[in-house]
Amino acid sequence: ELDILIQNGIVYNGVDSNHQKVSIGIFEDKIVFIGNEKGKLFEAKKTIDATGLIVCPGFIDPHTHSDRELKLPEKSHNLPFLMQGVTTVVAGNDGNSFFPTAEFKALYEKHGIGTNAILLAGHGTIRKIVVGRTNRKATEEELKNMQTLVQKEMDAGAFGISTGLFYAPGSYSDTEEIIALAKVVAANDGIYDSHIRDEGSYSIGLKGAIEEAIEIGRQAKLPVHIAHIKCLGADVWNQSKDIIQLIEKGRAEGINVTADQYPYDASATGLQAATVPRWAESGGKDSLFFRYSQPRIKDQILKETKRNITRRGGPDKLLFVQTDDSMFVGKNLLEVAEILKLSPEAAVYEVLKDRGVRVASFNMTQNDIYNFMKQPWVMTGSDGNSGHPRKYGSFPRKYHKYVQQEKVINLATFIKGSTSTTAEFLKIPSRGKLQEGYFADVIIFNPDTFKDVADYTNAFEFSAGLEYSIINGKLSVENGKFTNQLNGKVLVKNKTNLN
C-alpha cells in the first residue's frame, strides 16, 4: 500500500526537457514508483488527482537567511519559502552563520522545521570569533585556529563554507586566507559559496572579484558558487557577457563554477553595508561613530559615502524597506534626507545612530538579468531576507515573469535550474529529481495561477498557486493550505540520512 499516489499530472522530473504523463507512488519518505499504473495493483492511503497541474521536484534554494526564523519555534515552519514550492533551503550564507553548527542543528531538530535545511559555515562568523572585527591580516596562529573551527563545522555536517567578502569583517581578509580555509573544506568534499568582494566598483571591481572567486576554486580544488550574481550599479552595467566568459573559461579549465540569481532588478542589504566605507567600520559600530566624530576623518567618510550612494544609482534609488522607525519605511534616502534637512550622505549617519536599516537598491538592468538567467550553470535563489519581496516570491516570480510572460527561459529549464542543478552542485544525493529511490520532495502547482504576490510596498505576502508540497513523503501543503506539519530535516554532509 502506497502512502501517496499522484495521478494525471504534467510531470517534469527535474532533468529532462520534456514532460511525461505518469503516476508517482510514494511510500514512507521515498519515491517508489514512476510510470504507467496499467496492470499494477496499487492501493494508496492518499490519492492526488493532479489533472492540469505541474508535478516536479521540490525547489532547492541555495541562498537564504532562513536560519533567523528556523531557530524560533513559532517561525520554524518556514512558510515564506514553503509556499513558493521550496522544500530545501541553504542557510549560513554571505559568511554569516549561527555557530556552532552542531548546536543549531540540535535546536532545529528539537522543535522541528518546515523545510529541509542545509547549513554552511560562515567565514565572517569564524573570523569574528578568532580575529575580531578589526581590519587587519590574520596571524599564522589565528589562521590555524580558523582552520580548526572550519573542520569542526564540517565534522558537524556543514556542506561547505560561505564568505561575505563585501561585508566587514570578511572584507578584511585576503585571498590567501580564504584559500587556506577552503582547502579544509575541499578535504571534506565540501563547496565554497561566496558573496564576492565586489559586485560593482567598490574595491577590486566586479571582474576582479569573479577572478578572485575562480582563483580560490583553482587553488583549493573545490566547487565555487557565486551568490546572487549581478552587475550592481551603472559603473558595471552590461558587463554580464564578460563575466559569463570569465566563468566559462574557468569551467573549461575544470573548475566547477556556478551561480544563483534572484529574479528582481533591486538588491537588498543593510544601509550601512551599502553606503559606509569598510575601513571606517573597523572595530564595529562604536568605532565607526568615534571616527565620524573627528572632523577631518568625518569629511573623508562623508566623501566616500556620497560616492557609494552614487554607485547605488543615487539616493532616490535606495528604498527603506525595514527599520525600527516606521516613519521611514517606504521612503527613499533622498526623501529621508529632506525630512531630516541633511545631505543624503549625512542622513545615513543620523539614521544609523540608533537604528538598523535595510534598503532595496534599484541598480540592475534587464539585459544583464536576462544574460545570466539563460546560463545552464545559473540556478534560482532568493537571498530571502526580511523587507524584500524575494523572500516570499522568487521562484513563482521567475516562473510567472520570465517563463510565462517574457519567455526568457522555458519551463523545463526553470525547473531544472531550481532543482537538480542545485542538488548536484551542493552534492546532495537522492534529492532534486523525480526518480525511484529518491527522497519524496515533490511539489504540485497550478500553471495558470502560480505567481508572486509580494512587492516592494508589501513584501510579506505569500505566493499563490502552490497546490501541494510533499516533503520527505509527508504532506506539508494540501489544496493550497499549510498542513501545520513540520516535515523538514536538517541534512547533514556525509551522513546516512542522505543515502
Side-chain angles (χ1 to χ4, degrees):
E1 183 183 45
L2 299 173
D3 291 315
I4 300 174
L5 179 63
I6 303 169
Q7 298 176 313
N8 306 319
I10 305 164
V11 178
Y12 286 84
N13 64 11
V15 181
D16 298 333
S17 58
N18 297 319
H19 66 266
Q20 297 176 288
K21 286 289 187 74
V22 291
S23 296
I24 299 173
I26 296 169
F27 178 69
E28 295 183 343
D29 61 354
K30 297 287 179 60
I31 298 170
V32 295
F33 172 77
I34 299 177
N36 190 325
E37 292 174 73
K38 190 174 182 180
K40 308 288 185 192
L41 296 175
F42 282 142
E43 291 185 7
K45 296 175 183 176
K46 173 77 176 180
T47 299
I48 298 173
D49 182 0
T51 300
L53 305 178
I54 305 295
V55 182
C56 69
F59 299 145
I60 302 171
D61 192 335
H63 191 109
T64 79
H65 299 280
S66 58
D67 40 2
R68 297 168 190 177
E69 281 80 34
L70 293 177
K71 71 175 183 177
L72 304 172
E74 67 273 19
K75 293 185 178 181
S76 66
H77 46 59
N78 220 12
L79 280 180
F81 298 93
L82 181 65
M83 298 308 294
Q84 294 185 58
V86 174
T87 56
T88 300
V89 296
V90 177
N93 298 86
D94 290 342
N96 186 16
S97 63
F98 291 140
F99 181 92
T101 288
E103 178 181 317
F104 284 91
K105 174 183 178 294
L107 176 66
Y108 302 156
E109 290 173 342
K110 180 180 178 181
H111 62 229
I113 54 177
T115 63
N116 299 319
I118 285 170
L119 307 181
L120 299 175
H123 161 252
T125 296
I126 290 171
R127 196 176 211 274
K128 271 186 276 188
I129 293 169
V130 176
V131 182
R133 297 176 180 270
T134 307
N135 183 5
R136 65 172 175 82
K137 185 176 180 178
T139 66
E140 186 175 337
E141 182 179 357
E142 287 169 337
L143 185 56
K144 288 179 179 178
N145 289 339
M146 284 192 281
Q147 288 176 315
T148 298
L149 291 183
V150 170
Q151 183 60 58
K152 179 180 177 181
E153 295 298 85
M154 296 302 294
D155 289 341
F159 273 64
I161 192 170
S162 75
T163 58
L165 300 182
F166 175 72
Y167 302 112
S171 59
Y172 303 148
S173 61
D174 57 20
T175 308
E176 288 69 30
E177 175 180 315
I178 306 303
I179 290 171
L181 300 180
K183 285 181 177 179
V184 176
V185 176
N188 291 270
D189 195 33
I191 60 100
Y192 173 71
D193 173 276
S194 184
H195 180 132
I196 56 176
R197 200 174 294 273
D198 196 350
E199 295 177 323
S201 58
Y202 280 80
S203 56
I204 63 174
L206 175 58
K207 293 179 183 178
I210 294 288
E211 288 170 343
E212 180 186 38
I214 294 171
E215 182 64 18
I216 291 165
R218 179 182 291 115
Q219 296 294 332
K221 296 180 172 55
L222 83 173
V224 172
H225 186 75
I226 311 297
H228 39 63
I229 195 167
K230 63 175 80 73
C231 298
L232 187 77
D235 290 351
V236 294
W237 282 349
N238 299 314
Q239 286 189 11
S240 53
K241 288 185 178 180
D242 293 337
I243 299 308
I244 290 166
Q245 287 179 356
L246 282 174
I247 293 174
E248 291 284 7
K249 183 179 178 182
R251 288 173 62 85
E253 186 184 326
I255 305 165
N256 183 12
V257 188
T258 58
D260 65 72
Q261 177 192 41
Y262 51 77
Y264 294 87
D265 59 1
S267 61
T269 190
L271 177 64
Q272 182 171 324
T275 60
V276 175
R278 289 294 91 88
W279 62 266
E281 293 180 289
S282 179
K285 194 169 182 178
D286 289 345
S287 298
L288 167 64
F289 278 95
F290 175 78
R291 294 185 182 98
Y292 191 70
S293 69
Q294 311 300 307
R296 290 184 180 179
I297 303 177
K298 178 179 179 178
D299 289 345
Q300 185 62 31
I301 289 173
L302 287 173
K303 180 180 178 181
E304 293 190 31
T305 300
K306 184 176 182 179
R307 173 59 179 147
N308 288 343
I309 292 169
T310 300
R311 286 188 173 101
R312 292 274 173 171
D316 60 324
K317 300 296 185 183
L318 290 168
L319 178 70
F320 284 44
V321 294
Q322 190 176 36
T323 175
D324 300 332
D325 193 335
S326 60
M327 70 174 287
F328 292 148
V329 174
K331 294 181 173 62
N332 61 48
L333 177 58
L334 182 61
E335 293 168 327
V336 171
E338 289 171 350
I339 292 170
L340 297 175
K341 295 181 170 53
L342 294 169
S343 67
E345 56 271 23
V348 166
Y349 295 91
E350 183 63 29
V351 169
L352 287 177
K353 275 182 185 176
D354 305 311
R355 339 171 159 79
V357 180
R358 289 193 62 76
V359 292
S361 177
F362 294 83
N363 48 17
M364 287 178 266
T365 68
Q366 286 297 321
N367 178 61
D368 290 322
I369 292 171
Y370 289 164
N371 285 342
F372 288 131
M373 191 175 290
K374 292 174 183 177
Q375 305 310 310
W377 38 264
V378 172
M379 55 201 75
T380 315
S382 70
D383 193 10
N385 206 344
S386 293
H388 192 295
R390 66 195 184 193
K391 179 176 179 178
Y392 283 72
S394 286
F395 289 79
R397 176 180 173 84
K398 187 171 179 179
Y399 166 77
H400 181 67
K401 179 176 176 64
Y402 293 100
V403 176
Q404 274 201 316
Q405 293 184 325
E406 299 185 11
K407 304 188 187 312
V408 178
I409 57 174
N410 62 35
L411 176 56
T413 299
F414 160 67
I415 291 173
K416 183 176 182 181
S418 304
T419 57
S420 65
T421 300
T422 316
E424 287 169 6
F425 169 75
L426 290 167
K427 302 184 180 181
I428 319 172
S430 303
R431 294 186 195 266
K433 302 176 187 177
L434 298 184
Q435 184 173 315
E436 290 181 8
Y438 269 48
F439 286 96
D441 294 343
V442 185
I443 63 169
I444 304 174
F445 64 88
N446 188 322
D448 299 323
T449 61
F450 191 53
K451 62 185 293 188
D452 57 312
V453 179
D455 57 26
Y456 294 102
T457 59
N458 190 353
F460 303 92
E461 292 290 329
F462 294 122
S463 292
L466 179 70
E467 298 296 332
Y468 294 88
S469 177
I470 299 166
I471 300 179
N472 294 308
K474 297 180 176 64
L475 280 164
S476 293
V477 175
E478 184 173 11
N479 296 319
K481 304 293 184 183
F482 177 46
T483 64
N484 291 308
Q485 300 297 310
L486 302 179
N487 298 321
K489 296 180 180 179
V490 179
L491 306 185
V492 181
K493 183 73 175 172
N494 296 330
K495 300 297 180 182
T496 55
N497 73 331
L498 293 178
N499 297 326

